[in-house]
Amino acid sequence: MTESNGSAARGQRNQRENMPDWERRFRAPRVSLPDWAEDAPDRALFVSNATGTYELYAWDRSTDEQRQVTDRPNGTTDGVLSPDGAWIWWFDDKDGDEFGVWRRQPFTGGEDEPAVPGLDPSYPAGLALGRDGRTAVVGRSTDEDGTTIHVARAGEAPVEIYRHRESAGVGDLSHDGSLIAVEHTEHGDAMHSALRVVRPDGTPVADLDDTKGGTVELGLEVLGFAPVEGDTRLLIGHQRRGRWEPLVWDVATGEETDLALELPGDVSAEWYPDGSGLLIGHSHEARGELFRYDFGTRELVKVPTPRGTVSGATARPDGSVEYLWSSAAQPSSVRSTTGRVVLDPPGMKSPGSVPVEDVWVEGPGGRIHALVQKPAGAVGPLPTVFDIHGGPTWHDSDSFAAGPAAWVDHGYAVVRVNYRGSTGYGRAWTDALKHRVGLIELEDIAAVREWAISSGLADPDRLILTGGSWGGYLTLLGLGTQPDAWTMGIAAVPVADYVTAYHDEMEALKAMDRTLLGGTPEEVPERFEASSPLTYVDQVKAPVYISAGVNDPRCPIRQIENFVKRLETNGAVHEVYRYDAGHGSLVVDERIKQVRLELDFADRHLKTARD
């Protein structure tokens, strides 16, 4: 090693040693659960931030050789490995705007090429690749056409087999390529899909629709065709008993096999590679666990995993299970039931954080589950951050998250609320979010806020409301509708002006908004007005920090600018940070910059409030 190289290495080592833990958590290399090729299980695809930007990587497990597949300024995370392991498909959008085309690259390396010549750019609406190496089923969504689905074969022009104004998507392609499962919302309810199975020429085979015939609409989802040649069984998820559960539907005979697993939370599943059983994922009260269901014995056997959250799992051909696990205190890792860590990225290791505490609070719509973290040994009342999750159909869990951990490192308590609308607590809890959108969630957040103050955890004069996406929306709405409740707000990529957001956002989100609010802004103007942060902007008292991606198709920039202009007119204390990406950033440096700006804003304005 030369003297200059040695100096550089020492400099990098010193920089790492002096780096604060919160920044190390963002910079430490991490990996997703590897996806493997059905007919070439030693070929795998995963996502990693090893270069400082989240990109796709190919992994030959037989040689342990890894290769970076994509290299784009704003990162790449959407990729699919063909069943024969020969090709890697990846979605090529522009600067995070989610509008683009599929490209593909040989697994062993080489030039990228258009994966489906003849299809114009669009928002993606699902993709399924055939085992023959020639066939692809491609879903597209555009404002002009709604959803279209195409069958593309090598050397032939793609053929459209489905078209509808409402949102839909490709579910799966059967093992022999003779059947295509489609999730659709032709009935107009974007929260509850129905299913249709068609042949590659578009000929209908079977329909299943739980949205009809009852007083409560229920959803269905495609989990996958049986991995057996000629098998017409389709694994689906249903909500018939008030939560997500799996059943097996034979699309040829119409027979339905209800597994009736009697687990209390939401259940998902995937096939074991030989079709003899199912790998069951059970999510309950912000934690996850795994089981194997055997068709022969009809027994449910637990797959051992630590307490925490299983973010994804897959059954390997040898019968082992690989899963991505973490807890609030321990960083994520890809583990195997064989006892080993499957994929351990080299380089800096992420520091842990403090464990999460469970809190249950009585609210206007039932018991609310909140997750609380606070600095070790800290005694309240503490400056407290209410970090509100996005979605809204999502939930916070006992999983590792660098953002909340950063607040804890700086002396804050962090409270995360699984408000009505969150998943993981049954269908009724999720579906409660209708018509009074935003206001319902804020009622639950207010109830948890009162608990946090009365319990002695939170200092009522140092309360921060923050979140990204839907959480950013609730932040701005909360600052206007609860102006005396919050000391400040920090909103990332938020909905700020609901009417303008509706007109500018991607088509699939328009459908979701029509479902949530019961129509368009022209049809139900009073509901959009009641749920829009812009309606209450004149009531905002607290300092506001907003960050926004200028290419965001989900929370577009124009509606944020409308809100900011009103803040300026009112002379409200606010700061805005705009960055060149879409709905968030896949670049580690950019994400660290945003967190640093948020921490600085909080520090400056909480000091002002305290003084």
Side-chain angles (χ1 to χ4, degrees):
M1 179 183 293
T2 66
E3 184 176 347
S4 60
N5 286 342
S7 299
R10 284 193 298 274
Q12 292 174 355
R13 185 167 58 251
N14 291 335
Q15 185 180 18
R16 289 195 298 269
E17 291 173 353
N18 295 327
M19 188 181 298
D21 279 354
W22 75 264
E23 185 174 339
R24 290 167 65 92
R25 293 191 192 97
F26 284 97
R27 292 201 183 280
R30 64 188 66 192
V31 293
S32 68
L33 179 71
D35 183 26
W36 52 276
E38 183 179 1
D39 296 330
D42 281 339
R43 292 191 167 189
L45 182 69
F46 64 91
V47 177
S48 177
N49 65 334
T51 64
T53 302
Y54 284 89
E55 297 286 1
L56 296 171
Y57 288 78
W59 177 28
D60 188 329
R61 300 177 65 143
S62 65
T63 63
D64 201 31
E65 180 183 357
Q66 297 177 12
R67 179 182 67 83
Q68 184 175 339
V69 175
T70 54
D71 184 9
R72 302 195 302 155
N74 284 305
T76 316
T77 58
D78 291 341
V80 177
L81 191 57
S82 64
D84 60 6
W87 293 94
I88 296 167
W89 288 50
W90 60 275
F91 193 74
D92 183 10
D93 65 350
K94 182 180 179 181
D95 298 327
D97 67 358
E98 301 180 47
F99 195 85
V101 298
W102 287 99
R103 300 190 184 280
R104 68 176 193 168
Q105 180 185 128
F107 181 86
T108 54
E111 294 296 321
D112 292 314
E113 63 181 43
V116 191
L119 287 185
D120 292 332
S122 69
Y123 298 111
L127 174 71
L129 303 179
R131 294 175 64 241
D132 61 3
R134 299 183 63 253
T135 305
V137 184
V138 184
R140 303 172 64 255
S141 174
T142 65
D143 292 343
E144 297 77 21
D145 298 328
T147 303
T148 60
I149 295 177
H150 307 257
V151 173
R153 292 186 174 88
E156 301 177 16
V159 176
E160 182 181 303
I161 63 166
Y162 178 92
R163 176 181 288 261
H164 202 277
R165 284 299 314 165
E166 298 293 344
S167 59
V170 178
D172 196 21
L173 180 64
S174 65
H175 197 68
D176 61 5
S178 65
L179 300 169
I180 300 168
V182 176
E183 294 181 1
H184 70 84
T185 59
E186 295 173 5
H187 47 283
D189 183 348
M191 293 182 69
H192 302 95
S193 294
L195 305 183
R196 179 170 301 145
V197 177
V198 300
R199 300 199 183 281
D201 63 359
T203 305
V205 174
D207 279 275
L208 196 61
D209 189 350
D210 280 7
T211 67
K212 299 177 180 178
T215 57
V216 179
E217 291 190 341
L218 308 175
L220 298 169
E221 63 177 348
V222 172
L223 300 177
F225 278 104
V228 179
E229 192 75 18
D231 198 324
T232 56
R233 293 177 300 164
L234 179 63
L235 182 64
I236 67 172
H238 69 90
Q239 296 179 301
R240 295 170 183 174
R241 283 187 289 268
R243 57 186 181 271
W244 282 108
E245 298 179 276
L247 68 79
V248 178
W249 175 35
D250 190 322
V251 302
T253 66
E255 179 184 4
E256 298 178 16
T257 304
D258 189 349
L259 306 183
L261 300 177
E262 299 183 357
L263 295 170
D266 284 341
V267 179
S268 186
E270 71 167 44
W271 297 92
Y272 270 79
D274 62 0
S276 65
L278 299 175
L279 177 60
I280 301 294
H282 177 226
S283 175
H284 183 52
E285 296 183 351
R287 291 174 179 85
E289 56 186 350
L290 298 175
F291 298 84
R292 176 188 165 97
Y293 177 84
D294 188 273
F295 285 114
T297 63
R298 304 184 75 85
E299 289 183 330
L300 190 66
V301 178
K302 189 166 185 177
V303 176
T305 59
R307 177 176 169 82
T309 296
V310 177
S311 301
T314 183
R316 293 282 293 168
D318 63 1
S320 65
V321 174
E322 296 177 352
Y323 58 95
L324 183 65
W325 176 90
S326 72
S327 70
Q330 293 181 259
S332 62
S333 60
V334 181
R335 305 186 177 194
S336 170
T337 51
T338 62
R340 65 188 181 89
V341 174
V342 176
L343 192 58
D344 187 18
M348 183 191 307
K349 302 302 178 185
S350 173
S353 186
V354 297
V356 72
E357 301 173 22
D358 297 85
V359 173
W360 292 87
V361 177
E362 291 297 330
R367 293 174 74 231
I368 307 161
H369 191 193
L371 304 174
V372 178
Q373 289 175 280
K374 59 184 179 180
V379 178
L382 300 170
T384 300
V385 175
F386 276 70
D387 189 1
I388 308 305
H389 72 73
T393 50
W394 189 250
H395 69 270
D396 278 315
S397 62
D398 181 11
S399 58
F400 195 75
W407 288 109
V408 173
D409 283 3
H410 285 79
Y412 296 84
V414 177
V415 179
R416 290 179 284 170
V417 182
N418 284 330
Y419 50 74
R420 278 172 290 172
S422 302
T423 55
Y425 301 87
R427 185 195 70 235
W429 190 259
T430 302
D431 288 359
L433 185 60
K434 286 286 186 74
H435 298 178
R436 293 182 59 248
V437 173
L439 306 174
I440 289 173
E441 304 97 293
L442 286 169
E443 290 174 355
D444 291 350
I445 293 167
V448 178
R449 175 188 176 278
E450 290 305 310
W451 164 84
I453 294 171
S454 63
S455 70
L457 171 71
D459 180 347
D461 295 323
R462 292 185 290 169
L463 290 179
I464 300 174
L465 185 61
T466 186
S469 191
W470 196 262
Y473 158 64
L474 293 177
T475 295
L476 296 184
L477 187 64
L479 295 179
T481 59
Q482 303 168 350
D484 296 318
W486 306 104
T487 311
M488 75 176 61
I490 299 175
V493 290
V495 173
D497 168 4
Y498 217 142
V499 174
T500 302
Y502 176 86
H503 289 300
D504 289 358
E505 68 193 5
M506 58 201 304
E507 182 59 36
L509 293 185
K510 286 186 173 72
M512 176 62 78
D513 285 339
R514 291 194 296 270
T515 296
L516 290 173
L517 291 158
T520 67
E522 292 71 33
E523 294 166 340
V524 287
E526 71 287 350
R527 290 178 183 168
F528 274 83
E529 181 179 10
S531 293
S532 178
L534 189 64
T535 302
Y536 311 97
V537 66
D538 295 341
Q539 278 75 256
V540 172
K541 298 179 180 179
V544 188
Y545 177 88
I546 299 173
S547 60
V550 297
N551 305 312
D552 192 345
R554 297 174 180 268
C555 299
I557 191 67
R558 184 167 71 106
Q559 51 95 27
I560 293 173
E561 300 292 6
N562 291 346
F563 189 88
V564 171
K565 288 176 183 176
R566 287 283 291 275
L567 290 175
E568 292 172 347
T569 299
N570 295 340
V573 177
H574 70 283
E575 294 179 16
V576 183
Y577 173 65
R578 304 166 182 86
Y579 57 95
D580 187 17
H583 197 60
S585 177
L586 300 176
V587 179
V588 173
D589 280 341
E590 175 60 40
R591 182 68 185 118
I592 289 171
K593 178 181 179 181
Q594 293 176 24
V595 173
R596 186 175 283 116
L597 289 170
E598 292 171 0
L599 290 167
D600 175 68
F601 184 85
D603 182 60
R604 286 185 284 115
H605 290 283
L606 280 191
K607 283 180 179 177
T608 301
R610 187 167 57 246
D611 294 342

